[in-house]
Short mmCIF file of all heavy atoms in Angstrom, two decimals:
data_model
loop_
_atom_site.label_atom_id
_atom_site.label_comp_id
_atom_site.label_asym_id
_atom_site.label_seq_id
_atom_site.Cartn_x
_atom_site.Cartn_y
_atom_site.Cartn_z
N HIS A 1 -6.61 -17.90 -22.66
CA HIS A 1 -5.80 -16.67 -22.57
C HIS A 1 -6.70 -15.44 -22.44
O HIS A 1 -6.27 -14.39 -21.98
CB HIS A 1 -4.94 -16.55 -23.82
CG HIS A 1 -3.77 -15.63 -23.67
ND1 HIS A 1 -3.64 -14.75 -22.62
CD2 HIS A 1 -2.67 -15.44 -24.46
CE1 HIS A 1 -2.52 -14.05 -22.76
NE2 HIS A 1 -1.91 -14.45 -23.87
N THR A 2 -7.96 -15.55 -22.83
CA THR A 2 -8.88 -14.43 -22.71
C THR A 2 -9.34 -14.23 -21.27
O THR A 2 -9.97 -13.21 -20.96
CB THR A 2 -10.12 -14.66 -23.59
OG1 THR A 2 -10.70 -15.92 -23.27
CG2 THR A 2 -9.74 -14.66 -25.06
N MET A 3 -9.01 -15.17 -20.39
CA MET A 3 -9.45 -15.09 -19.00
C MET A 3 -8.30 -15.17 -18.00
O MET A 3 -8.48 -15.03 -16.80
CB MET A 3 -10.44 -16.23 -18.71
CG MET A 3 -11.17 -16.14 -17.38
SD MET A 3 -12.27 -17.53 -17.09
CE MET A 3 -11.09 -18.87 -16.83
N MET A 4 -7.10 -15.39 -18.48
CA MET A 4 -6.00 -15.67 -17.58
C MET A 4 -4.72 -14.98 -18.04
O MET A 4 -4.37 -15.02 -19.22
CB MET A 4 -5.75 -17.19 -17.54
CG MET A 4 -4.49 -17.62 -16.84
SD MET A 4 -4.66 -17.71 -15.05
CE MET A 4 -3.10 -18.49 -14.61
N THR A 5 -4.05 -14.33 -17.10
CA THR A 5 -2.67 -13.91 -17.29
C THR A 5 -1.92 -14.32 -16.03
O THR A 5 -2.52 -14.80 -15.07
CB THR A 5 -2.54 -12.40 -17.52
OG1 THR A 5 -3.07 -11.72 -16.39
CG2 THR A 5 -3.26 -11.96 -18.78
N GLY A 6 -0.62 -14.10 -16.02
CA GLY A 6 0.16 -14.53 -14.86
C GLY A 6 -0.29 -13.92 -13.55
O GLY A 6 -0.24 -14.57 -12.51
N SER A 7 -0.76 -12.67 -13.58
CA SER A 7 -1.17 -12.01 -12.34
C SER A 7 -2.35 -12.70 -11.67
O SER A 7 -2.56 -12.55 -10.47
CB SER A 7 -1.51 -10.54 -12.62
OG SER A 7 -2.61 -10.45 -13.51
N ALA A 8 -3.14 -13.45 -12.45
CA ALA A 8 -4.30 -14.15 -11.89
C ALA A 8 -3.95 -15.53 -11.34
O ALA A 8 -4.76 -16.15 -10.64
CB ALA A 8 -5.40 -14.28 -12.95
N PHE A 9 -2.75 -16.03 -11.64
CA PHE A 9 -2.38 -17.39 -11.24
C PHE A 9 -2.37 -17.59 -9.73
O PHE A 9 -2.92 -18.58 -9.23
CB PHE A 9 -1.02 -17.75 -11.85
CG PHE A 9 -0.50 -19.10 -11.46
CD1 PHE A 9 -1.22 -20.24 -11.72
CD2 PHE A 9 0.73 -19.21 -10.80
CE1 PHE A 9 -0.75 -21.49 -11.35
CE2 PHE A 9 1.22 -20.46 -10.43
CZ PHE A 9 0.47 -21.60 -10.70
N PRO A 10 -1.78 -16.68 -8.94
CA PRO A 10 -1.83 -16.88 -7.48
C PRO A 10 -3.25 -16.93 -6.94
O PRO A 10 -3.57 -17.75 -6.07
CB PRO A 10 -1.06 -15.67 -6.94
CG PRO A 10 -0.14 -15.28 -8.05
CD PRO A 10 -0.93 -15.52 -9.30
N SER A 11 -4.12 -16.05 -7.46
CA SER A 11 -5.51 -16.04 -6.99
C SER A 11 -6.23 -17.32 -7.36
O SER A 11 -6.98 -17.89 -6.56
CB SER A 11 -6.23 -14.83 -7.59
OG SER A 11 -7.58 -14.80 -7.21
N MET A 12 -6.01 -17.81 -8.57
CA MET A 12 -6.63 -19.06 -8.99
C MET A 12 -6.15 -20.23 -8.15
O MET A 12 -6.91 -21.12 -7.77
CB MET A 12 -6.35 -19.32 -10.47
CG MET A 12 -7.00 -20.57 -11.01
SD MET A 12 -6.62 -20.86 -12.75
CE MET A 12 -7.60 -22.34 -13.05
N THR A 13 -4.85 -20.24 -7.86
CA THR A 13 -4.27 -21.30 -7.04
C THR A 13 -4.92 -21.32 -5.65
O THR A 13 -5.29 -22.38 -5.13
CB THR A 13 -2.76 -21.12 -6.92
OG1 THR A 13 -2.16 -21.25 -8.22
CG2 THR A 13 -2.15 -22.15 -5.99
N LYS A 14 -5.07 -20.16 -5.04
CA LYS A 14 -5.68 -20.08 -3.71
C LYS A 14 -7.15 -20.50 -3.75
O LYS A 14 -7.64 -21.19 -2.85
CB LYS A 14 -5.54 -18.67 -3.15
CG LYS A 14 -4.13 -18.30 -2.74
CD LYS A 14 -4.08 -16.90 -2.13
CE LYS A 14 -2.67 -16.55 -1.68
NZ LYS A 14 -2.61 -15.18 -1.09
N ALA A 15 -7.86 -20.05 -4.79
CA ALA A 15 -9.28 -20.41 -4.89
C ALA A 15 -9.47 -21.91 -5.03
O ALA A 15 -10.42 -22.49 -4.50
CB ALA A 15 -9.90 -19.68 -6.09
N LEU A 16 -8.56 -22.56 -5.73
CA LEU A 16 -8.66 -24.01 -5.94
C LEU A 16 -8.15 -24.82 -4.75
O LEU A 16 -8.75 -25.84 -4.38
CB LEU A 16 -7.88 -24.41 -7.19
CG LEU A 16 -8.55 -24.24 -8.54
CD1 LEU A 16 -7.54 -24.41 -9.66
CD2 LEU A 16 -9.70 -25.24 -8.70
N PHE A 17 -7.04 -24.36 -4.16
CA PHE A 17 -6.33 -25.26 -3.25
C PHE A 17 -5.99 -24.68 -1.88
O PHE A 17 -5.36 -25.36 -1.08
CB PHE A 17 -5.02 -25.71 -3.92
CG PHE A 17 -5.21 -26.36 -5.26
CD1 PHE A 17 -4.68 -25.79 -6.41
CD2 PHE A 17 -5.93 -27.54 -5.38
CE1 PHE A 17 -4.84 -26.38 -7.64
CE2 PHE A 17 -6.11 -28.14 -6.61
CZ PHE A 17 -5.56 -27.56 -7.75
N ALA A 18 -6.39 -23.43 -1.59
CA ALA A 18 -6.04 -22.86 -0.28
C ALA A 18 -7.31 -22.53 0.49
O ALA A 18 -8.11 -23.41 0.77
CB ALA A 18 -5.14 -21.64 -0.45
N ASP A 19 -7.51 -21.26 0.82
CA ASP A 19 -8.60 -20.90 1.70
C ASP A 19 -9.93 -20.73 1.00
O ASP A 19 -10.94 -20.42 1.62
CB ASP A 19 -8.26 -19.60 2.45
CG ASP A 19 -7.79 -18.50 1.50
OD1 ASP A 19 -8.06 -18.62 0.29
OD2 ASP A 19 -7.17 -17.54 1.97
N GLY A 20 -9.94 -20.90 -0.32
CA GLY A 20 -11.20 -20.84 -1.03
C GLY A 20 -11.72 -19.45 -1.26
O GLY A 20 -12.89 -19.28 -1.61
N GLU A 21 -10.87 -18.42 -1.08
CA GLU A 21 -11.33 -17.07 -1.37
C GLU A 21 -11.66 -16.94 -2.84
O GLU A 21 -11.09 -17.64 -3.69
CB GLU A 21 -10.28 -16.04 -0.96
CG GLU A 21 -9.00 -16.11 -1.75
CD GLU A 21 -7.96 -15.11 -1.28
OE1 GLU A 21 -7.81 -14.95 -0.05
OE2 GLU A 21 -7.31 -14.50 -2.14
N GLU A 22 -12.57 -16.06 -3.17
CA GLU A 22 -13.05 -15.95 -4.55
C GLU A 22 -11.92 -15.54 -5.49
O GLU A 22 -11.13 -14.65 -5.18
CB GLU A 22 -14.18 -14.92 -4.62
CG GLU A 22 -14.88 -14.90 -5.97
CD GLU A 22 -16.13 -14.05 -5.96
OE1 GLU A 22 -16.60 -13.68 -4.86
OE2 GLU A 22 -16.65 -13.75 -7.06
N VAL A 23 -11.86 -16.19 -6.64
CA VAL A 23 -10.81 -15.90 -7.60
C VAL A 23 -10.97 -14.47 -8.13
O VAL A 23 -12.09 -14.00 -8.35
CB VAL A 23 -10.83 -16.92 -8.77
CG1 VAL A 23 -12.08 -16.79 -9.62
CG2 VAL A 23 -9.58 -16.78 -9.63
N LEU A 24 -9.85 -13.79 -8.32
CA LEU A 24 -9.86 -12.42 -8.81
C LEU A 24 -9.01 -12.35 -10.08
O LEU A 24 -7.83 -12.67 -10.05
CB LEU A 24 -9.31 -11.47 -7.75
CG LEU A 24 -9.16 -9.99 -8.16
CD1 LEU A 24 -10.53 -9.39 -8.46
CD2 LEU A 24 -8.45 -9.20 -7.07
N VAL A 25 -9.64 -11.94 -11.17
CA VAL A 25 -8.94 -11.76 -12.44
C VAL A 25 -9.12 -10.31 -12.86
O VAL A 25 -10.22 -9.90 -13.25
CB VAL A 25 -9.48 -12.70 -13.53
CG1 VAL A 25 -8.69 -12.52 -14.83
CG2 VAL A 25 -9.42 -14.16 -13.08
N ASP A 26 -8.07 -9.51 -12.75
CA ASP A 26 -8.16 -8.09 -13.11
C ASP A 26 -8.58 -7.92 -14.56
O ASP A 26 -8.03 -8.56 -15.46
CB ASP A 26 -6.81 -7.40 -12.90
CG ASP A 26 -6.46 -7.26 -11.43
OD1 ASP A 26 -7.39 -7.28 -10.59
OD2 ASP A 26 -5.26 -7.13 -11.11
N GLY A 27 -9.56 -7.05 -14.77
CA GLY A 27 -9.99 -6.72 -16.13
C GLY A 27 -11.01 -7.65 -16.73
O GLY A 27 -11.45 -7.43 -17.87
N LEU A 28 -11.41 -8.70 -16.01
CA LEU A 28 -12.38 -9.65 -16.56
C LEU A 28 -13.78 -9.06 -16.45
O LEU A 28 -14.26 -8.79 -15.34
CB LEU A 28 -12.30 -10.98 -15.81
CG LEU A 28 -13.13 -12.13 -16.36
CD1 LEU A 28 -12.62 -12.55 -17.74
CD2 LEU A 28 -13.09 -13.33 -15.40
N PRO A 29 -14.49 -8.84 -17.56
CA PRO A 29 -15.82 -8.23 -17.49
C PRO A 29 -16.85 -9.20 -16.94
O PRO A 29 -16.67 -10.43 -16.99
CB PRO A 29 -16.12 -7.87 -18.94
CG PRO A 29 -15.36 -8.88 -19.73
CD PRO A 29 -14.09 -9.15 -18.94
N GLU A 30 -17.91 -8.66 -16.43
CA GLU A 30 -19.02 -9.49 -15.95
C GLU A 30 -19.63 -10.24 -17.13
O GLU A 30 -19.86 -9.68 -18.20
CB GLU A 30 -20.07 -8.62 -15.28
CG GLU A 30 -21.26 -9.40 -14.75
CD GLU A 30 -22.31 -8.50 -14.12
OE1 GLU A 30 -22.07 -7.27 -14.05
OE2 GLU A 30 -23.37 -9.01 -13.72
N ALA A 31 -19.89 -11.52 -16.93
CA ALA A 31 -20.49 -12.32 -18.00
C ALA A 31 -22.00 -12.10 -18.05
O ALA A 31 -22.64 -11.88 -17.02
CB ALA A 31 -20.18 -13.80 -17.78
N ARG A 32 -22.56 -12.17 -19.23
CA ARG A 32 -24.00 -12.09 -19.38
C ARG A 32 -24.64 -13.37 -18.87
O ARG A 32 -24.03 -14.45 -18.93
CB ARG A 32 -24.38 -11.89 -20.85
CG ARG A 32 -23.84 -10.60 -21.47
CD ARG A 32 -24.23 -10.51 -22.95
NE ARG A 32 -25.68 -10.44 -23.09
CZ ARG A 32 -26.37 -9.29 -23.06
NH1 ARG A 32 -25.73 -8.14 -22.87
NH2 ARG A 32 -27.67 -9.31 -23.22
N SER A 33 -25.84 -13.27 -18.38
CA SER A 33 -26.53 -14.45 -17.87
C SER A 33 -26.97 -15.38 -18.99
O SER A 33 -27.14 -16.59 -18.80
CB SER A 33 -27.73 -14.05 -17.02
OG SER A 33 -28.65 -13.28 -17.78
#
């Protein structure tokens, strides 16, 4: 739930199963290396 809300579901679906465009999750901060 810290990485996903409903608005990110269409993007995740496309990234996994459609044209492979990069997943977009609004508000997700950059992860540290």
Side-chain angles (χ1 to χ4, degrees):
H1 199 346
T2 54
M3 190 182 70
M4 169 83 171
T5 59
S7 63
F9 177 59
S11 178
M12 182 181 182
T13 297
K14 289 183 178 180
L16 278 168
F17 304 117
D19 51 18
E21 65 182 42
E22 189 171 347
V23 67
L24 176 64
V25 182
D26 289 337
L28 187 66
E30 180 182 357
R32 299 178 63 87
S33 59

